[in-house]
Structures are given as C-alpha cells and as structure tokens.
Amino acid sequence: MREFAARFIRSPEGVAGLVLTTCLLAMALSAPYLFPRDPLSIVGRPLLAPFADPAFPLGTDRLGRDVLAGLMHGARTSLLVGISAAVVAILAGAIVGTLAGFSSGWFDEALMRVVDAFQIVPGFLLALAFVSVMGASLPLIVLAIALGAWTGPARLARAEVLSIRERDYVAAAWVIGMHPLEIAFKEVLPNALPPVLALVSVIVAGAVLTEAALSFLGLGDPNIVTWGSMIAEGRNVLRTAPFLSIVPGLGLVAMVLGVYLLGEGLVEALARRRIRQ
Amino acid sequence: MHRALKLVRRRALSSIPVLLIVVTGTFFLLESATGDAVDAYLVSLGGGDAELARNLRETYGLDQSAWSRLWLYVSALARFDLGWSVAFNRPILDVILERLPNTLLLMGSATALAFLLGSLLGIVAGARPGSGVDRLLSVGSLALYAVPSFWLGLVLILLFAVQLRWFPTAGIESIASGKSGFDRAVDIARHLVLPVCALGFIYLALFLRMMRAGMAEIWRQDFVLAARAKGLARRRIVLRHIARNALLPLVTMLGLQAAAMLGGSVVIESVFAIPGFGRLAQEAVAARDAPLLMGIIVMSAILVILVNLLIDLAYAALDPRVGQGERRT
C-alpha cells in the first residue's frame, strides 16, 4: 500500500487530480456548515458584481441569490450525482456482464443484444426521455444517467468473465457442487471487477457532465441548486453579467478534470505494479 | 464489392432485433408516463369534455391495449411510418426529416473538424513522445476534454459573437435575408462556426489523445526498429509507418462516438437556437408529445446504425483483413 502511494505521488497528473478532487470534496462537504441557508433563497441585492461586497464574494444572481453559496452546494449535487450514477452503472453492468459471460448460449446472446440496443440510442436522449416521463428527483436523475453508462462496464465484465470461468478454481467450485449463481457472483464476479473499476473515473466525469447538461436544459430537480441550472440562469444575462455563467462552468471543468487526472494517476500506478510483477 | 455487399446484408439483419428492442423498450418507457398526448392537447385547448377526449383517443388509436398498439407501431415502422405528431399536427417522419439536415450538417462538420485537426495534432504530439510539444498538447487536450460543450458554446458566444462580433450569436442562417446560392452557403457556414467548435472540440481532444497513445504504442514495435535500422528518415517513419497504423482505431472510435455526438447536439442546438433534430427532442419533451419523442429515439438509433455501417465499409476498404467470415461478438 505504501509502495503504491509512492508510485502514485511520482505521477504529476495523479497528484494534480488528487488535489483538485480533494478541494472540491471539501467544498461539497463543508457547504451545509459554511452556508446553512438554502442556497436558493434570496439574500441580497440582485446582480451584485463579484468582489464588490465582502458579504457576497462572488456576487449575486438575477434574483439576489448568493453565487458562492450556490457554487458550494452545487459541488455537492454534482459529486453526489456523479458518484451515485457511476456506482449504479458499474454494479448493473458488472451483474449483467457476469450473467451474460457465465451463462453463454441464447441467454448471453439476448443480454448482449440488449446492451447493443442501449448503445445505439444516444445516452443523453435516453436520459432526457426518462426524466421527462418519470420526473426529475435526484434518484431518478441518477438512474437516468446510469441508463446510458452501464453498457461499457457490462461489455468489459463479460469479456473478463469469459476468461475467468475457464480457470481451475471455478472448475473446483463446480465439482464441490456450488450453485451456478453462487459461482457466478461469489467466485467469478469479484475477480472480474478490477478492470471494470478502471472505468470509474470516466463514468463519474461523464455523469457529472450529463447531469449538468440535463439541468442546463431545465430538466433537473428545480428545488436543488446545480451548476448546470446556475449556468442556464446566468445565460439570461450573459451580456451584462457573464460571470454568472462562467463561474459555475469553471467549477465543472475543475471537477471533470480532477476526476480524469486522479483516475489516470491511479491506473498508471496500478499498471506499473503489474509490470514489475 | 461482393465482400461489402455481404457485410451490409449481415449488419442489416443483425440490426433488426436490436432495433426491435429499442422500439419495445422506448414504447414501454413512454407508456409508463401519466397522461398521454390527448391530455396534453386538451390542456393546450384550455380543457374539453370526456366525449371529445374519447373521440380523440379513438382517432389516434390510444384506446387500445399497449401490446396491440406496439404491434401497430412496429408494423407501421416497417412501412417507414412513424405516426402522427400531436404537437405539430403533421406526420412525425416529415417533421424529423425537415430538421435532420441541419443536425447532420452540424455533426458532419464537427466530426470532420475533430477528426482532421485531432489526428493532425496527435501526429505532431506522437512524433516525439515526451517532448515539450507533446506534454503541452497532452495537457491541453485533457483540459479541453473536461470542458462541458454547452458551457464552451456560451463562452464562444460571449467572446466571438458579443465582444468581437465576428460571428452571429444564434440560428442557422440570417432570417429573411433573401440570400441564395453561394451567399446563402457562406451565411450558413458563418452561423455554424461557433456551434461546430463547441460540439467538436471535445472529440478533437479525444482523437488527439487516441492518436498520440496509439503512436506511442507503435514506436515500441519491432518494425519501427527495423525501419530506423534501415536508416529511413524520421519524417517518413512517423508518417508512413507509425501514423498510418495508429489511424485505424480512430476510425472505429468515430462510429462509437456517433451516438454520443447525436446526444451532444441536443444541448448545442439549444444553446445556439438551431432548428435541428436535437432541439426537436427538447420540444417534444416540452410539448409532452410522446409519439414524437419515440420517433426521435427510433430515428436516432437508425442513424447510429447507418453511421456504423458506413464506418464498417470504410474499415473494410482500409483493412483487407476485415470481413473474412469473422463473427461479430
């Protein structure tokens, strides 16, 4: 573990990613303590410029809402949705991929055609349709985003399972009479998971971007502040108060970049270990 | 040629069950919504009695069971009939086909920009792995890859349309300009510059990174060593031996990204007020026009299948090993 940390620190990308994500995580976690009021409540004069009033360091929006409070609480929503959607997508993908790879035959064929079907429909359109039908609460948005993201993990898990199921310890599990489902989920799935986990950072980043785009189009939960909805709100006064759109956008860039870099650093550190072995 | 025909036939046949899954899944997803198009229509009328609602549902076939309507939908789809849009009061296929050219133009231009510039910069970066230029391009492309396209669109509007006034802020062409022929093409091109950049830059970064990574991989292979041992010029090795081999995976990526790009155009068309296919999806959601939304999803699936077929054909032409009786997995 210590050796792994040493390898990780040597990659500048990974360290930069770690710093960025830690800062954003700190923002997200401290938001309810530093800004206990609802970030959607009106607190001051509307359209106050940044750095003009020490009470509102980043100014206020069209309705007089604190931009800094929105930014902090928005980090919370963004991270929460991004991570939850990735967890759901990877779990669902791993389960489907394991079932497909382990069963083979017509069941495998059918499951993979379903994966194909999800892959040819643009994920964003699917999320749009899902949210418009089911409603826009946070758990449903997570589900909508996961709908478009689980196919990658499913394909990868299936490919892993196809090679793992031929190993000796799986044969041994058959011989001692374990139930096929027990073999699939207790013996095969845990071993198929590591390569799938390499996708985490890409999926989290994609989910953050999808959530932002959905709320930018006004399809997010209207009672929760998000960076996407802040950008959409600022768009109405783009010419006179561009910072209202630019500031939350920079937050998005920092978060997506941080997650990518962190993921890249981790994968690199892991790969170096494998080479050495 | 014979090989290409076989490829087309096999892909068309294998696409049918997948398309059926898409249709069935979308159908039942939209079916689970509370309220239907008739409800939405009555709301827009300002209300109506039960008699009118019943008559309307009978006219549109909404009074039948879900399975029989699904069957009707699929059999109509086989005749290229996507149904009737309540919001537009026109056949859905007509509405979609009217919007599609704008989106295809936007996507085609963005793809061309991303592919050409991305692979070119990728070659520049990959020609000398680890050099200063390589580091700069790698970091820059990663940063670009993290920028949300709709936000990039707003920033581009702010810089190049509001501040510098180089390009128009929105739309696909000047309204009622009376331009035609070449002037009109120039007008449309000027309107497309910013949205194409906003949509294409993220893929530019992706292609750059893929090209660079592919080239770094090939640098280590034996035939490159052999080429260097022969004393070939570096430029020739980079262009003829390395870049050519690294280009093929990018062609595959082009197909994989088709669906994502179609999804991305929804937001970009909304930012730049382009009356395209993606904006239609948003309008369908706003008008609660489920049949239209269904038609859009089915049509986008067909579009993605077609793009991938084209790419497979291109791939078969580029790589003679493809299509020799291998089975798709």
Side-chain angles (χ1 to χ4, degrees):
Chain A
M1 193 61 218
R2 177 181 287 171
E3 204 194 333
F4 177 77
R7 266 195 312 273
F8 179 78
I9 282 173
R10 258 182 284 152
S11 97
E13 287 100 350
V15 173
L18 187 66
V19 170
L20 267 178
T21 41
T22 311
C23 288
L24 288 161
L25 193 66
M27 265 174 78
L29 292 177
S30 63
Y33 304 103
L34 294 176
F35 297 94
R37 290 181 67 169
D38 181 358
L40 288 172
S41 58
I42 294 167
V43 291
R45 213 157 55 83
L47 288 177
L48 209 60
F51 314 119
D53 184 341
F56 309 111
L58 289 178
T60 56
D61 72 356
R62 218 156 52 118
L63 295 173
R65 297 178 293 205
D66 188 353
V67 173
L68 184 60
L71 198 66
M72 304 276 280
H73 282 270
R76 213 176 154 76
T77 320
S78 225
L79 267 179
L80 189 66
V81 171
I83 292 171
S84 327
V87 168
V88 174
I90 284 184
L91 272 182
I95 290 173
V96 173
T98 305
L99 285 176
F102 197 70
S103 63
S104 70
W106 67 268
F107 190 64
D108 174 30
E109 190 70 22
L111 279 182
M112 290 325 279
R113 291 298 81 79
V114 173
V115 171
D116 281 345
F118 272 91
Q119 263 179 333
I120 61 169
V121 175
F124 189 72
L125 265 185
L126 196 60
L128 199 77
F130 188 82
V131 169
S132 79
V133 168
M134 297 294 178
S137 70
L138 224 43
L140 288 173
I141 290 174
V142 167
L143 218 56
I145 295 170
L147 271 182
W150 65 276
T151 51
R155 276 188 188 285
L156 209 57
R158 176 175 175 271
E160 267 317 289
V161 167
L162 283 181
S163 92
I164 289 176
R165 66 172 194 175
E166 307 298 334
R167 305 243 172 103
D168 287 344
Y169 64 84
V170 178
W174 281 109
V175 170
I176 61 168
M178 272 171 89
H179 192 273
L181 280 178
E182 207 180 345
I183 302 176
F185 288 106
K186 276 199 177 151
E187 303 290 331
V188 178
L189 179 65
N191 290 300
L193 219 44
V196 180
L197 289 179
L199 287 175
V200 167
S201 68
V202 179
I203 295 180
V204 170
V208 167
L209 288 175
T210 309
E211 187 278 328
L214 277 177
S215 51
F216 175 73
L217 290 182
L219 289 164
D221 187 336
N223 299 315
I224 295 174
V225 66
T226 66
W227 288 344
S229 63
M230 286 172 77
I231 295 173
E233 168 62 32
R235 189 185 167 194
N236 296 311
V237 283
L238 190 64
R239 281 158 198 267
T240 47
F243 67 94
L244 286 179
S245 295
I246 289 179
V247 169
L250 289 177
L252 274 173
V253 174
M255 179 167 296
V256 175
L257 193 60
V259 171
Y260 275 141
L261 287 172
L262 182 64
E264 204 150 289
L266 286 176
V267 168
E268 214 173 285
L270 280 172
R272 267 191 224 140
R273 186 183 63 184
R274 267 196 216 118
I275 289 169
R276 208 171 288 173
Q277 281 172 352
Chain B
M1 199 56 229
H2 185 60
R3 196 159 59 105
L5 275 177
K6 254 163 89 179
L7 186 73
V8 169
R9 200 178 58 203
R10 203 182 57 221
R11 287 308 287 279
L13 282 178
S14 70
S15 298
I16 290 173
V18 177
L19 203 58
L20 273 179
I21 296 174
V22 170
V23 171
T24 313
T26 320
F27 184 85
F28 282 104
L29 170 65
L30 296 178
E31 186 64 24
S32 61
T34 46
D36 55 19
V38 170
D39 288 327
Y41 179 67
L42 288 179
V43 168
S44 75
L45 281 183
D49 56 16
E51 180 71 21
L52 178 62
R54 198 164 53 240
N55 285 340
L56 278 172
R57 288 210 168 85
E58 227 166 87
T59 320
Y60 292 115
L62 286 169
D63 54 344
Q64 299 172 34
S65 82
W67 283 104
S68 70
R69 271 183 295 133
L70 176 61
W71 170 246
L72 282 177
Y73 189 90
V74 171
S75 50
L77 185 66
R79 300 189 305 268
F80 300 105
D81 176 7
L82 285 174
W84 190 267
S85 160
V86 181
F88 286 84
N89 203 20
R90 287 172 59 197
I92 289 171
L93 190 64
D94 290 4
V95 180
I96 289 180
L97 287 181
E98 188 181 280
R99 300 290 194 96
L100 209 49
N102 286 341
T103 300
L104 290 181
L105 192 62
L106 175 67
M107 278 178 59
S109 317
T111 307
L113 172 86
F115 191 80
L116 292 177
L117 210 57
S119 54
L120 202 70
L121 290 174
I123 292 174
V124 172
R128 286 177 193 277
S131 66
V133 179
D134 177 32
R135 290 239 142 211
L136 190 74
L137 281 173
S138 295
V139 172
S141 64
L142 193 66
L144 198 61
Y145 196 49
V147 176
S149 61
F150 62 94
W151 182 73
L152 181 63
L154 287 179
V155 172
L156 289 175
I157 288 178
L158 201 59
L159 280 177
F160 295 104
V162 176
Q163 300 285 337
L164 295 168
R165 294 174 184 272
W166 288 355
F167 299 107
T169 49
I172 183 79
E173 58 184 320
S174 308
I175 297 163
S177 62
K179 285 176 181 162
S180 62
F182 183 70
D183 283 348
R184 183 164 176 238
V186 171
D187 187 43
I188 291 177
R190 266 172 50 82
H191 278 82
L192 273 178
V193 171
L194 297 184
V196 163
C197 288
L199 182 61
F201 274 4
I202 189 165
Y203 299 102
L204 192 160
L206 181 72
F207 287 133
L208 196 167
R209 292 182 71 73
M210 268 195 79
M211 188 77 194
R212 195 210 153 268
M215 285 179 73
E217 196 76 23
I218 295 169
W219 265 115
R220 287 197 284 271
Q221 289 190 12
D222 288 343
F223 72 90
V224 175
L225 192 67
R228 292 173 82 172
K230 270 199 302 187
L232 288 183
R234 191 184 177 92
R235 169 187 289 269
R236 193 180 159 87
I237 295 175
V238 166
L239 291 181
R240 299 285 300 265
H241 294 258
I242 297 178
R244 263 177 87 158
N245 279 301
L247 212 53
L248 272 182
L250 263 69
V251 177
T252 314
M253 195 43 129
L254 219 53
L256 291 177
Q257 291 301 328
M261 210 177 217
L262 203 54
S265 69
V266 177
V267 201
I268 291 298
E269 285 174 13
S270 151
V271 169
F272 288 94
I274 294 172
F277 183 71
R279 212 176 134 81
L280 190 64
Q282 216 200 329
E283 287 166 19
V285 168
R288 295 200 153 271
D289 194 341
L292 180 58
L293 192 57
M294 169 111 193
I296 289 168
I297 291 178
V298 171
M299 196 63 173
S300 64
I302 294 175
L303 216 58
V304 172
I305 291 175
L306 286 179
V307 169
N308 277 293
L309 183 64
L310 281 179
I311 284 175
D312 277 358
L313 285 175
Y315 213 99
L318 288 173
D319 189 339
R321 287 168 301 184
V322 174
Q324 309 255 331
E326 104 282 28
R327 201 174 149 273
R328 230 177 113 249
T329 47

